[in-house]
Amino acid sequence: EYSPFSGIEKGAVLQEARVFNDPQLDSRRCSQVITKLLYLLNQGDSFTKTEATEVFFSVTKLFQARDIGLRRMVYLIIKELSPSADEVIIVTSSLMKDMNSKTDVYRANAIRVLCRITDGTLLTQIERYLKQAIVDKNPVVASAALVSGIHLLQTNPEIVKRWSNEVQEAVQSRAALVQFHALALLQQIRQNDRLAVSKLVTSLTKGSVRSPLAQCLLIRYTSQVIRESSMNGQGDRPFYDYLEGCLRHKSEMVIFEAARAITELSGVTSRELTPAITVLQLFLSSSKPVLRFAAVRTLNKVAMTHPMAVTTCNIDMESLISDQNRSIATLAITTLLKTGNESGVDRLMKQITNFMSDIADEFKIVVVDAIRSLCLKFPLKFRTLMGFLSNILREEGGFEYKKAIVDSIVTIIREIPDAKESGLLHLCEFIEDCEFTYLSTQILHFLGIEGPKTSDPSKYIRYIYNRVILENATVRASAVSTLAKFGAMVDSLKPRIFVLLRRCLYDNDDEVRDRATLYLNTIGGDGSVVETDKDVKEFLFGSLDLPLANLETSLKNYEPSEEPFDIRSVSREVKSQPFAEKKAAAKKPTGLGAPPAGPASAVDTYDKLLLSIPEFSTFGQLFKSSAPVELTEAETEYAVNVVKHIFDKHVVFQYNCTNTIPEQLLEDVTIVVDASEAEEFEEVATKPLKSLPYDTPGQTYVAFEKPEGVPAVGKFTNVLRFIVKEVDPSTGEAEEDGVEDEYQLEEFEVVPADYMLKVGVSNFRNAWESLGPDFERVDEYGLGPRESLKEAVSTVIDLLGMQPCEGTEVVAANSRSHTCLLSGVYIGNVKVLVRLSFGVDSAKEVAMKLAVRSEDEAVSDAIHELVAN
Amino acid sequence: MESCPSVKNILLLDSEGNRVAVKYYSDDWPTNSAKEAFEKAVFTKTQKTNARTEAEIAMFENNIVIYKFAQDLHFFVTGGDDENELIISTVLQGFFDAVGLLLRGNVDKKEALENLDLILLCLDEIVDGGIILETDANVIAGKVASHSVDSGAPLSEQCMMLRFEVKQAQFPDFKLNSAARERTF
């Protein structure tokens, strides 16, 4: 196969690049060589620093040539080489000359290149030209300057912000794309100024915006304004008419953007939705796959919150099941599963069965998830749906797919009691022929919990013992534990279980033998029919309510000594999980297994950090560290936030300070805290920060004593006090003499939630039952009119500072009632569980029933007091 | 989502999934091997679909990829998963048609490699650092072609320029390019 680049080799091309130095330049040849260099870079080859520098220097010679084509290639390669600051200087003057050239092509491109490679200092030199370029009558030049402005705003915001008059003028440009680019830049300059954005939207939605792209952008800004204005007050939704008007735009891009914006309005009514659904429905039968996909994906999202609004599209959706594009088909099916009614389930399942055989695993997983939700919605249909799930469980499939099915069956068993027996048998049959160790062990574990509670536990024993005979060591060990659980829970089975466990003593794997030995010696009764002691059950099968990551860290830190490892020393704080993981967890309820353990994190670091400071080393075990609370507005001279560290008898405030002024050095930074509104606290120590240079965060601490074990609360006022010294920006050296100065910070409070640790439980119902009703306190509260149920739920969760369990913090849109499960550990290491039931009436009055169970009566009462206040 | 529409990458691959020309605008794929892995995944998954008459669409790792094939060339444009699909699709169409114009209808790998400078300039004119510069194929091709023509250019190329000039009335942007060209002749 012929290619102009076959056999190309970097070394040779670099040699060839010497033509750039010829006194008589051959433009064509030079262009070709640059193309070859670009080809190499594009294929993933990279130049060493020296090679790049060498190429760069010879390329700069080409500015002598007067050939436009060659010049364009020069621009391209300079951008690709991304030269260093001292190299940039060499081309600056050439590029600045081009920027002021009579040739528009040069000007536009020189602006883009220069802005790409420039740094802040150079930017001030060319700022004047850029401002002119923004309002240049040539649209290509104006666009080049505006787009460069958008990029520069990330690195040099203070400079770009000075251009807003010119950008404002460019928004009125007659050239379509200039208007688009100007609008994008203007909004980014003003994004922190709500009023300005709102004004911009008001004036533009009345006028004429030319290009479809600019129109899409305007729709996005409009949605933003709507979102922010709906936060304060009710009444007619502003700008809705504008969005609806866009549904009749001639460009599909704009129609779709508007339709999507309408469906995403918070608290959208079905009347507002209707016109958007209508245009999306038209798209469903388009000949263009992209249009069908966009429409079905949006409708799928709408179906989650407003299934009734989407039912009008059901016929079009059904025809999409056979769409060539499998993504479209899958989205159509899952939408139908969400919008379908109970009577249609059987017919729909028949259609899906044919469909399942010819799609990839990733699509099947989506379908399985949708079927699980459907089953929870129509519990009476569980036979059909469970049957479907067990059928696909028997077919070929990868791990993720099988796991999705198993998770779904487990969820259904948990939620629908009638489905338990048949569901467990499906799972038993599956592990008879399951190639995934992980799934086998998870199912065995689940069987151990649910099996003994069924009417005839003995029928599961055969499946479990088969694992001991047939499987690998991991699964065998797991099966032994499950057998033991049956033995401990079902006294009548005990003698037979003992026989089976004794056989496991001869297993050739250590873990399996160890487990069998442990169980035989602790379950008790020597194989006779007696009840197993409650403490033993708790010891063997109780949940380990510690985050595993914390346990791991503590074990790693433990140094072998006379003193045994104390499990109570392990921190129980659940680490905040990265956002992505949270999102995933919220999307699907975790079927099997414990809640995901967070990564090792802030708390341990804080713990170590504080212990290393001598003043605080006597305070003992850190109970909890709060999330940082900002004490300054964004973009002020000094940024300060505070982390509250709670100890048994003390509280330490850690102030994280950042100096954002390059011309200043701060020394002897302290925080003066006024605790007159926090009566139970007494200041005991401060740790000042010696020096705070520009942009390097530093910490200063203040410690307070408080009554032991008491959740004392109060308000603290803070002033940042320091000595400020001028810094010469060119040398970076600070002056000798400084001036004392103060900076007022915002106040913050220590609230009851600071004394509550977020500790999740894997199975709330079990935990709730095991705590028992002894210290249960139930009461009802009226919360008054609230903006929404969702807002009320999150307010109460924040107030209590507890960990929501089983994804119950998510409130379905438009639901009238909600139950939320919370768990935590209160100061003094008292386990607390809370069950919140919310209801809302038509006047948005929210009522709440609060049930608390804990290990201590006083704590149960304290939780109620929290809410009552 | 109040951000400006943005493009994460534009890929032009051959019928075996090898690069002809690619351009990345996002940090989602920091290394060359990450880029290659993405290209391979996208290519393998779309390979068997029929994207010759209409652009097709698929999702990968929380991105939407819109693609279209011509002969042995596969065109892809990627955007974030909350991006307006039709905007990404417009960018793809602009790229696809502009390449068609620049290669004078002979859209295949050989021709593309022989005119790689035009393809690279074309990419440069469509998107700048993720922000859409231009989506109209005639305007894009016009800008690219005006640069490549110099007095020594072969006759066929100059003929192509005539074809663009016909479009001139429709596209005001075109005037500046032809003005620029006159100076070079």
Side-chain angles (χ1 to χ4, degrees):
Chain A
E1 189 185 2
Y2 167 77
S3 154
F5 300 104
S6 57
I8 189 169
E9 202 243 325
K10 186 171 88 174
V13 179
L14 289 173
Q15 285 283 332
E16 258 186 278
R18 294 192 176 162
V19 297
F20 300 162
N21 297 321
D22 283 354
Q24 284 293 314
L25 282 174
D26 177 349
S27 308
R28 255 193 122 59
R29 178 99 199 278
C30 291
S31 280
Q32 280 164 3
V33 176
I34 294 181
T35 309
K36 282 186 191 169
L37 289 166
L38 287 170
Y39 174 84
L40 287 171
L41 289 171
N42 216 289
Q43 294 296 319
D45 241 319
S46 59
F47 296 157
T48 65
K49 187 82 195 79
T50 16
E51 285 166 348
T53 310
E54 203 167 302
V55 170
F56 177 78
F57 276 112
S58 40
V59 161
T60 57
K61 306 250 168 59
L62 299 179
F63 274 99
Q64 296 165 26
R66 310 214 39 86
D67 180 289
I68 294 194
L70 175 58
R71 185 68 58 89
R72 288 259 11 223
M73 295 312 283
V74 170
Y75 294 142
L76 263 194
I77 189 120
I78 291 178
K79 280 199 268 189
E80 288 297 325
L81 289 171
S82 47
S84 62
D86 47 337
E87 292 169 348
V88 168
I89 297 168
I90 317 231
V91 281
T92 307
S93 64
S94 304
L95 286 170
M96 276 170 74
K97 212 172 117 206
D98 283 0
M99 251 175 84
N100 295 297
S101 144
K102 289 205 184 69
T103 314
D104 291 326
V105 186
Y106 283 176
R107 284 162 62 208
N109 279 292
I111 288 171
R112 282 171 58 199
V113 177
L114 201 50
C115 292
R116 170 71 53 88
I117 60 178
T118 190
D119 62 359
T121 48
L122 186 63
L123 192 56
T124 46
Q125 286 179 47
I126 58 168
E127 188 184 356
R128 190 162 57 92
Y129 304 113
L130 290 175
K131 277 171 147 181
Q132 280 170 12
I134 288 174
V135 290
D136 196 288
K137 61 180 188 306
N138 182 312
V140 182
V141 174
S143 279
L146 287 164
V147 171
S148 301
I150 297 174
H151 297 315
L152 290 169
L153 193 64
Q154 313 303 321
T155 49
N156 295 287
E158 65 293 339
I159 295 180
V160 180
K161 279 180 184 167
R162 295 201 290 252
W163 307 348
S164 63
N165 285 336
E166 285 77 11
V167 181
Q168 180 94 50
E169 198 181 323
V171 169
Q172 307 301 329
S173 164
R174 301 193 61 80
L177 281 153
V178 174
Q179 197 174 37
F180 164 59
H181 295 133
L183 193 53
L185 179 55
L186 190 62
Q187 193 272 347
Q188 287 189 23
I189 290 177
R190 299 196 173 159
Q191 58 187 347
N192 289 327
D193 184 351
R194 270 193 209 174
L195 198 64
V197 175
S198 169
K199 271 188 194 157
L200 181 70
V201 167
T202 312
S203 72
L204 287 175
T205 47
K206 283 181 200 138
S208 65
V209 171
R210 281 176 193 83
S211 85
L213 279 172
Q215 195 72 257
C216 288
L217 208 51
L218 186 56
I219 291 172
R220 288 181 195 184
Y221 300 157
T222 308
S223 319
Q224 186 193 0
V225 171
I226 294 178
R227 201 161 41 237
E228 278 161 3
S229 62
S230 69
M231 278 171 195
N232 37 32
Q234 274 131 11
D236 268 0
R237 204 189 289 276
F239 301 115
Y240 175 79
D241 290 344
Y242 163 72
L243 291 182
E244 206 211 327
C246 288
L247 294 176
R248 293 183 291 275
H249 197 273
K250 59 182 190 302
S251 156
E252 284 164 345
M253 183 198 287
V254 177
I255 299 175
F256 175 68
E257 186 76 40
R260 194 170 68 152
I262 291 178
T263 64
E264 284 170 3
L265 292 174
S266 72
V268 64
T269 62
S270 39
R271 200 174 140 180
E272 288 171 319
L273 266 179
T274 311
I277 302 286
T278 310
V279 298
L280 291 173
Q281 187 174 4
L282 285 176
F283 284 177
L284 286 181
S285 44
S286 159
S287 64
K288 294 181 191 162
V290 175
L291 223 53
R292 295 200 299 273
F293 177 92
V296 75
R297 188 157 77 118
T298 309
L299 289 170
N300 186 300
K301 269 189 211 137
V302 179
M304 289 182 200
T305 50
H306 297 82
M308 291 314 291
V310 185
T311 46
T312 47
C313 308
N314 276 3
I315 294 180
D316 303 85
M317 289 276 178
E318 282 186 27
S319 59
L320 289 182
I321 293 182
S322 52
D323 200 292
Q324 283 286 308
N325 184 319
R326 303 325 277 168
S327 305
I328 296 176
T330 311
L331 284 166
I333 286 205
T334 51
T335 314
L336 284 169
L337 287 172
K338 282 171 200 150
T339 59
N341 53 17
E342 193 153 358
S343 57
V345 169
D346 295 299
R347 191 169 64 96
L348 196 56
M349 295 317 289
K350 211 170 267 169
Q351 276 173 306
I352 297 177
T353 311
N354 300 329
F355 168 79
M356 287 301 264
S357 56
D358 58 35
I359 55 170
D361 271 9
E362 53 171 315
F363 293 135
K364 290 180 183 166
I365 292 172
V366 179
V367 175
V368 167
D369 285 345
I371 287 176
R372 177 183 56 209
S373 320
L374 187 71
C375 191
L376 298 181
K377 196 161 118 197
F378 303 124
L380 290 177
K381 285 287 164 196
F382 80 85
R383 261 175 249 284
T384 314
L385 297 167
M386 186 74 98
F388 177 83
L389 289 175
S390 69
N391 276 336
I392 55 174
L393 194 53
R394 262 181 247 128
E395 278 157 23
E396 285 292 298
F399 172 72
E400 291 297 332
Y401 174 44
K402 288 289 163 82
K403 180 167 180 297
I405 304 173
V406 170
D407 281 352
S408 296
I409 294 181
V410 166
T411 312
I412 293 172
I413 292 173
R414 280 210 177 121
E415 298 296 321
I416 308 174
D418 287 344
K420 188 190 274 185
E421 304 248 337
S422 65
L424 286 179
L425 277 176
H426 288 312
L427 292 177
C428 283
E429 270 162 34
F430 173 61
I431 52 172
E432 286 281 34
D433 185 23
C434 169
E435 53 182 316
F436 305 109
T437 300
Y438 176 84
L439 288 181
S440 295
T441 55
Q442 295 289 302
I443 291 173
L444 283 168
H445 177 76
F446 184 69
L447 267 177
I449 298 169
E450 297 294 337
K453 295 187 212 154
T454 55
S455 57
D456 181 14
S458 64
K459 69 177 168 198
Y460 303 105
I461 302 296
R462 178 170 65 87
Y463 296 102
I464 301 167
Y465 190 66
N466 277 348
R467 305 279 70 71
V468 179
I469 304 170
L470 299 167
E471 303 278 354
N472 64 40
T474 313
V475 178
R476 291 204 303 275
S478 184
V480 166
S481 296
T482 306
L483 281 176
K485 236 175 257 179
F486 273 82
M489 311 303 279
V490 189
D491 299 330
S492 59
L493 283 177
K494 203 165 278 174
R496 282 184 273 166
I497 296 280
F498 265 66
V499 173
L500 297 177
L501 283 180
R502 281 204 194 91
R503 289 192 199 158
C504 302
L505 290 175
Y506 303 102
D507 196 279
N508 54 17
D509 182 80
D510 293 351
E511 175 73 21
V512 180
R513 286 198 307 272
D514 288 355
R515 284 195 190 192
T517 313
L518 173 71
Y519 292 130
L520 282 169
N521 285 310
T522 47
I523 290 175
D526 244 349
S528 53
V529 184
V530 292
E531 198 177 336
T532 306
D533 192 54
K534 189 163 177 280
D535 288 343
V536 172
K537 277 188 203 164
E538 182 58 32
F539 165 66
L540 290 177
F541 307 118
S543 68
L544 181 69
D545 50 3
L546 294 169
L548 286 181
N550 296 9
L551 182 59
E552 185 184 354
T553 329
S554 299
L555 282 170
K556 276 184 186 156
N557 291 344
Y558 173 73
E559 280 168 24
S561 64
E562 289 296 301
E563 202 179 326
F565 178 78
D566 185 358
I567 198 153
R568 277 169 300 185
S569 71
V570 180
S571 163
R572 293 177 153 208
E573 181 81 11
V574 176
K575 312 302 161 55
S576 57
Q577 294 160 17
F579 181 64
E581 205 176 312
K582 244 188 205 162
K583 215 166 109 190
K587 260 189 211 156
K588 33 185 157 177
T590 36
L592 287 166
S601 67
V603 178
D604 298 301
T605 351
Y606 283 144
D607 202 2
K608 266 178 228 152
L609 200 69
L610 290 173
L611 280 178
S612 68
I613 299 169
E615 287 91 328
F616 311 139
S617 58
T618 56
F619 291 177
Q621 168 76 20
L622 175 63
F623 177 72
K624 174 178 178 171
S625 301
S626 75
V629 181
E630 294 298 333
L631 300 181
T632 49
E633 302 268 334
E635 297 185 35
T636 47
E637 295 99 309
Y638 313 110
V640 179
N641 65 43
V642 64
V643 177
K644 297 172 270 184
H645 301 291
I646 309 287
F647 293 87
D648 207 27
K649 269 173 75 177
H650 298 87
V651 178
V652 175
F653 300 134
Q654 173 185 340
Y655 296 87
N656 300 310
C657 314
T658 313
N659 168 12
T660 62
I661 308 178
E663 297 84 20
Q664 286 192 357
L665 169 71
L666 306 189
E667 289 191 345
D668 289 327
V669 183
T670 52
I671 307 277
V672 182
V673 187
D674 174 9
S676 54
E677 286 181 72
E679 286 163 9
E680 289 175 287
F681 293 85
E682 195 183 335
E683 186 168 326
V684 289
T686 54
K687 187 171 186 304
L689 177 62
K690 265 205 109 44
S691 129
L692 183 65
Y694 165 63
D695 210 21
T696 316
Q699 288 83 33
T700 162
Y701 302 86
V702 181
F704 285 85
E705 194 168 47
K706 66 168 190 67
E708 183 167 355
V710 173
V713 295
K715 192 183 276 182
F716 298 84
T717 328
N718 314 281
V719 177
L720 184 68
R721 184 172 291 169
F722 47 84
I723 294 168
V724 57
K725 291 184 174 173
E726 295 289 316
V727 174
D728 184 338
S730 55
T731 61
E733 272 172 40
E735 285 178 11
E736 284 286 305
D737 299 320
V739 189
E740 217 171 288
D741 200 0
E742 287 188 349
Y743 189 83
Q744 185 70 40
L745 302 175
E746 284 176 29
E747 55 188 33
F748 69 90
E749 289 180 70
V750 170
V751 292
D754 289 326
Y755 297 100
M756 180 69 79
L757 271 186
K758 288 187 174 189
V759 177
V761 289
S762 51
N763 186 332
F764 190 87
R765 198 184 297 170
N766 286 357
W768 182 261
E769 277 161 20
S770 70
L771 263 181
D774 300 353
F775 300 123
E776 179 168 327
R777 291 287 176 277
V778 186
D779 209 343
E780 290 182 14
Y781 299 88
L783 301 181
R786 311 298 295 206
E787 190 193 310
S788 68
L789 193 55
K790 190 172 162 187
E791 185 262 348
V793 172
S794 68
T795 309
V796 176
I797 294 177
D798 287 345
L799 176 74
L800 294 175
M802 297 174 74
Q803 175 75 33
C805 302
E806 300 173 11
T808 53
E809 73 274 29
V810 184
V811 182
N814 293 349
S815 58
R816 318 297 299 167
S817 64
H818 184 73
T819 299
C820 182
L821 309 173
L822 302 174
S823 118
V825 169
Y826 203 56
I827 190 160
N829 256 342
V830 182
K831 197 193 271 180
V832 186
L833 295 173
V834 166
R835 193 191 283 262
L836 293 164
S837 312
F838 292 85
V840 61
D841 69 8
S842 51
K844 300 214 166 186
E845 290 271 350
V846 177
M848 175 180 81
K849 184 176 161 194
L850 169 68
V852 185
R853 284 187 181 187
S854 77
E855 292 163 335
D856 184 339
E857 195 171 1
V859 171
S860 298
D861 289 333
I863 304 291
H864 273 283
E865 267 169 46
L866 269 180
V867 177
N869 299 329
Chain B
M1 202 209 13
E2 45 279 340
S3 55
C4 185
S6 68
V7 172
K8 289 195 177 181
N9 65 43
I10 301 183
L11 314 176
L12 179 57
L13 307 179
D14 72 6
S15 55
E16 268 132 40
N18 301 314
R19 277 182 195 168
V20 175
V22 298
K23 187 79 191 155
Y24 284 80
Y25 308 101
S26 114
D27 302 330
D28 295 12
W29 304 275
T31 60
N32 188 49
S33 49
K35 292 181 175 115
E36 279 175 346
F38 178 77
E39 286 156 30
K40 185 159 190 280
V42 168
F43 177 81
T44 340
K45 231 178 100 172
T46 57
Q47 191 180 11
K48 295 209 178 77
T49 53
N50 179 16
R52 292 185 185 269
T53 46
E54 290 287 357
E56 276 287 347
I57 179 165
M59 294 207 65
F60 291 91
E61 311 158 4
N62 298 323
N63 291 308
I64 50 174
V65 177
I66 301 189
Y67 55 99
K68 197 168 177 182
F69 305 153
Q71 311 260 25
D72 53 357
L73 285 177
H74 294 203
F75 296 73
F76 303 87
V77 178
T78 307
D81 71 345
D82 52 359
E83 195 46 86
N84 180 333
E85 292 89 342
L86 303 180
I87 293 182
I88 303 292
S89 154
T90 311
V91 175
L92 174 80
Q93 199 63 45
F95 179 41
F96 186 88
D97 292 345
V99 170
L101 285 169
L102 290 166
L103 301 183
R104 281 148 287 170
N106 302 323
V107 184
D108 60 31
K109 181 187 175 187
K110 179 168 167 285
E111 199 71 15
L113 283 173
E114 278 175 357
N115 293 284
L116 189 68
D117 51 345
L118 298 187
I119 306 274
L120 292 172
L121 288 174
C122 181
L123 286 170
D124 189 55
E125 290 293 353
I126 295 173
V127 172
D128 181 292
I131 298 171
I132 300 163
L133 274 181
E134 181 56 78
T135 56
D136 186 306
N138 290 293
V139 178
I140 297 166
K143 286 194 206 170
V144 173
S146 76
H147 306 317
S148 70
V149 173
D150 58 35
S151 42
L155 203 59
S156 61
E157 247 171 75
Q158 293 185 20
C159 289
M160 178 178 67
M161 294 322 301
L162 279 177
R163 231 170 71 200
F164 286 128
E165 263 150 36
V166 179
K167 306 262 180 188
Q168 199 169 310
Q170 289 163 268
F171 300 99
D173 272 353
F174 220 73
K175 284 203 184 80
L176 79 109
N177 294 315
S178 47
R181 195 162 57 242
E182 271 154 32
R183 264 186 284 282
T184 54
F185 278 123

